[in-house]
Amino acid sequence: MNPTTNDAAGYHAGAADSVYARIALRFLPLLFVCYVMAYLDRVNVGFAKLQMLNDLQLSETVYGLGAGVFFLGYFIFEVPSNLLLHKIGARRWIARIMITWSILSMCTAWVSTPLQLYVVRFLLGIAEAGFYPGMLLYLTYWFPAHRRGRMVALLTAGNPVSGMLGGPLSGFLMTSMAGVGGMYGWQWLFILEALPGILLGIVVFRHLNDRVADAGWLSAEERAMVQRDIDMDNTSRTHASIGATFKSGRVWLLALILFCIIMGSYALSFWQPTIIKGTGITNPTLIGILTIIPYTAALLSMILMGRSADKHRERRWHVIVPALFAACGFVVCANTAHSAVLSVVGLTMVAMGVVSALPMFWALPTSFLGGAGAAAGIALINSTANLAGFISPTVIGALKSMTGTLSSGLYLVAGTLTLAALLIWAFIPARLVNR
């Protein structure tokens, strides 16, 4: 049997597979661990809430606003941050992001008033702006579109892994460290979970290569092959300039779709411990252990979905189906508030859906954005959509304060996920993204 060739002329598929496997092995483990820490430091306030609201005499509304205000800073600085990454390189910029966000996350341990919580969370959003879209942009420098779905899925696996590890760890720290040094357990939670991010920032600065041309660990022939693949991939993209990106109705439509999905994602992240506690389970360690179940299922679902999307070169339905599945999960949670078993089933459906939909979504814009337009477009979509991270906990917190239940907020996010699926089905043509 004659060997087939890769996109790069004259390079056999088997040899190309080997090169891309080496690239993935070099960068993906580090980026994965960085994403785990980023997501943990972003949402660990959901676990800290179980204690800090009583200790600081804060209301559910204050918590919701404090959790969400992070995303206002994130929104304002996202596009400038990604453009700076594109200009000065991922190695320096991602390292800077990690070190500054870790320091600010640690500072959350010493807030004592609503205003202090709002300020620290807002500054944390500024510090982290550009991190996830920056990593997505970084993958476009190394992997062509038909290889990128699995890479994005593996990277975004940091989301469920963060939940699998962060839940039990957060519960353990809050229980075991309570009173140590005269501080509350939730204070130690913020301090100890921030320290690894500083160390990882230093590792990123020493280990990442900004471009294919900088990869001395690849041969000249291998670098040329990868660069040809990337260049050929870029020729099929229609938005290569910043101006065209900002004027594109399709880009803004994708921002709306992602907004709807993220409404569900952060409803899960910020309220899952509260949903479990509402069933009558009050021990933080046990709550943390139970969160392993949804995130373990989500991790498996996301990996399988990424493989399926790359195998079939199909993108739209690999977002639509998970989004609808998550919507059904929120409906289950809204109607089973007093059953721990059924609530965990609903949360598992939610986690599988939103965690699988998010990486699959990013195959849509990266299919047609290229050049500086990719840096601006990815950041624009991500920053605008992440305003849902402000609206979701804020609105749900306010609704819970008014009604005494989470049900109305859970129905709301079920509706937004359904809307995301309908928008993709109606307005994103298969010919644009399925390749």
Side-chain angles (χ1 to χ4, degrees):
M1 181 180 294
N2 293 328
T4 58
T5 58
N6 192 52
D7 292 343
Y11 221 89
H12 296 304
D17 290 344
S18 176
V19 171
Y20 283 110
R22 286 169 56 200
I23 294 172
L25 186 61
R26 176 147 184 121
F27 295 135
L28 260 295
L30 175 58
L31 295 178
F32 174 83
V33 174
C34 289
Y35 186 61
V36 169
M37 294 310 306
Y39 204 81
L40 183 60
D41 282 348
R42 180 188 297 187
V43 302
N44 57 8
V45 69
F47 261 93
K49 168 187 181 288
L50 299 177
Q51 292 181 348
M52 69 184 295
L53 262 64
N54 287 331
D55 293 336
L56 300 181
Q57 297 299 300
L58 303 178
S59 69
E60 296 281 356
T61 301
V62 168
Y63 163 72
L65 182 57
V69 75
F70 167 96
F71 296 95
L72 293 183
Y74 195 83
F75 168 73
I76 294 168
F77 288 91
E78 183 90 322
V79 173
S81 179
N82 227 34
L83 291 174
L84 282 169
L85 183 149
H86 185 65
K87 182 176 181 179
I88 70 176
R91 181 173 65 92
R92 294 179 180 86
W93 198 246
I94 292 178
R96 191 282 305 162
I97 288 173
M98 296 196 65
I99 292 171
T100 53
W101 106 50
S102 298
I103 292 171
L104 285 164
S105 182
M106 191 182 299
C107 289
T108 314
W110 290 281
V111 303
S112 59
T113 68
L115 179 60
Q116 290 174 357
L117 176 63
Y118 300 155
V119 170
V120 170
R121 291 287 296 177
F122 179 75
L123 293 176
L124 183 63
I126 293 174
E128 194 182 320
F131 178 72
Y132 181 63
M135 290 196 295
L136 292 175
L137 179 64
Y138 187 67
L139 292 179
T140 69
Y141 299 157
W142 294 90
F143 298 95
H146 69 278
R147 294 180 181 271
R148 202 179 307 128
R150 188 177 302 179
M151 296 301 104
V152 173
L154 289 172
L155 173 64
T156 314
N159 181 325
V161 169
S162 166
M164 291 165 59
L165 300 178
L169 175 62
S170 297
F172 172 76
L173 290 176
M174 289 170 62
T175 302
S176 63
M177 297 298 291
V180 175
M183 294 195 297
Y184 296 114
W186 62 266
Q187 291 179 297
W188 283 111
L189 166 69
F190 286 118
I191 294 169
L192 296 178
E193 290 187 354
L195 289 174
I198 298 174
L199 299 178
L200 284 169
I202 297 171
V203 175
V204 165
F205 183 77
R206 296 176 61 88
H207 187 72
L208 287 192
N209 297 120
D210 288 328
R211 305 281 180 171
V212 175
D214 302 327
W217 41 276
L218 294 176
S219 69
E221 182 184 18
E222 290 168 340
R223 290 197 297 271
M225 183 274 296
V226 174
Q227 193 60 60
R228 283 196 298 270
D229 278 355
I230 301 301
D231 291 343
M232 290 173 64
D233 196 47
N234 285 336
T235 60
S236 62
R237 298 177 187 174
T238 58
H239 292 75
S241 72
I242 297 174
T245 298
F246 276 83
K247 295 176 183 177
S248 170
R250 188 177 289 138
V251 168
W252 289 104
L253 173 63
L254 287 168
L256 174 59
I257 292 168
L258 184 59
F259 176 94
C260 293
I261 297 173
I262 289 178
M263 283 287 290
S265 177
Y266 283 114
L268 173 69
S269 299
F270 289 127
W271 295 99
Q272 180 174 222
T274 301
I275 291 172
I276 296 174
K277 185 178 180 180
T279 67
I281 299 172
T282 58
N283 184 282
T285 301
L286 180 56
I287 292 173
I289 291 172
L290 288 175
T291 62
I292 296 175
I293 298 171
Y295 284 118
T296 301
L299 176 62
L300 296 174
S301 172
M302 183 176 60
I303 292 173
L304 293 174
M305 195 67 65
R307 290 179 178 176
S308 174
D310 280 354
K311 178 180 179 180
H312 299 288
R313 299 203 179 189
E314 199 290 323
R315 311 298 174 184
R316 294 166 70 249
W317 287 100
H318 284 80
V319 185
I320 292 172
V321 173
L324 293 176
F325 192 65
C328 293
F330 276 117
V331 173
V332 172
C333 289
N335 288 278
T336 59
H338 300 296
S339 170
V341 173
L342 293 178
S343 290
V344 171
V345 169
L347 288 168
T348 300
M349 294 173 64
V350 170
M352 291 176 67
V354 295
V355 169
S356 298
L358 284 171
M360 293 302 97
F361 166 85
W362 284 109
L364 307 182
T366 55
S367 293
F368 65 88
L369 292 170
I378 291 171
L380 176 63
I381 292 168
N382 193 64
S383 62
T384 304
N386 266 283
L387 286 174
F390 170 73
I391 293 172
S392 181
T394 302
V395 172
I396 294 174
L399 289 173
K400 187 175 189 295
S401 293
M402 289 187 294
T403 65
T405 176
L406 280 173
S407 295
S408 55
L410 299 183
Y411 283 126
L412 173 66
V413 293
T416 65
L417 285 161
T418 303
L419 177 60
L422 290 174
L423 289 173
I424 294 171
W425 176 76
F427 297 109
I428 304 297
R431 59 176 173 76
L432 180 70
V433 297
N434 290 347
R435 59 185 180 84

